[in-house]
Amino acid sequence: MGQKYKKPARFVASGKVKAFLSESGEVLYVDINGELYEGVGDFVPVPISDLRKVRLNQIPEEVFIEPVAYIDKNIVYMLRFGNILTYEVKFGRGSALVNVEEWAADWKSYIGLEAMKDALSSTLRELLSKGFISFVDVEDEDDMMYVSFEIPLPETMTIRNAVKTVRKILREIEKEATIRASLLAIKEARRNIEKSSRKRDEGSLVERVSRIFYKEVEEKREDFSKK
């Protein structure tokens, strides 16, 4: 843990969790029950097996903990929260901060990324209006989908139980977003079919291509014969 030897500028603690911060507020490392974990920015990845009985209200105000599957030779293996989308989930005092990041180049679903972005946004804003989510932020980028939102949780909840609860919520959100995205895709497909059906009045695909092909061939032959 390279950062643990750096001299911290500040120290914050709450129950079992003690955090050592730099002058700029970055987490250098966190002490949980005597075990040190290296920080990354304002959060620290911690294996979920090491978070037994640690509650959300024991996380200092300026610190987020990201439960992970395990850490091996400085490689962090993430927990899986959903089936389709990629989630990064960090827990603070009484809330879970969720980031969703998908790139168009890596998107493999038959449902377009733009449709999924619109569907996820509408799903989250519905939950926001009912108080199940405290804020939603959607970045409008052509080649990626980046969505951030926060789920409020009871401060007395353990991190392990919070992980289970958030995983269930995210999978319900994902199901609803997939349905809405599918409906958007169907509407777009119908519009495309209507446009394409007009072309069918001009004959089959083979007939249409044949007319273009032989027209071009005949024109090339005429041009060549004139030389």
Side-chain angles (χ1 to χ4, degrees), residues 156-195:
T156 55
M157 182 178 281
T158 65
I159 294 178
R160 287 166 68 92
N161 285 338
V163 167
K164 293 177 184 177
T165 300
V166 169
R167 180 180 279 130
K168 290 177 182 178
I169 292 172
L170 292 181
R171 293 192 176 183
E172 289 303 320
I173 290 172
E174 195 174 83
K175 287 178 189 175
E176 180 64 23
T178 301
I179 292 170
R180 295 186 185 192
S182 298
L183 292 173
L184 290 173
I186 289 171
K187 289 179 181 179
E188 182 65 20
R190 284 175 176 168
R191 284 195 289 268
N192 289 334
I193 290 171
E194 288 174 2
K195 290 179 182 178

Side-chain angles (χ1 to χ4, degrees), residues 115-132:
M116 180 58 81
K117 185 195 301 182
D118 291 345
L120 181 59
S121 177
S122 69
T123 301
L124 292 174
R125 295 192 188 285
E126 180 179 341
L127 293 177
L128 178 66
S129 68
K130 301 299 181 181
F132 294 111

Side-chain angles (χ1 to χ4, degrees), residues 93-142:
R93 182 185 288 265
S95 69
L97 181 62
V98 182
N99 294 320
V100 181
E101 185 175 302
E102 298 287 350
W103 290 87
D106 300 325
W107 185 248
K108 294 181 174 58
S109 174
Y110 282 109
I111 301 170
L113 187 61
E114 193 66 29
M116 180 58 81
K117 185 195 301 182
D118 291 345
L120 181 59
S121 177
S122 69
T123 301
L124 292 174
R125 295 192 188 285
E126 180 179 341
L127 293 177
L128 178 66
S129 68
K130 301 299 181 181
F132 294 111
I133 290 174
S134 56
F135 84 87
V136 177
D137 179 41
V138 180
E139 292 190 11
D140 190 13
E141 299 286 344
D142 293 336

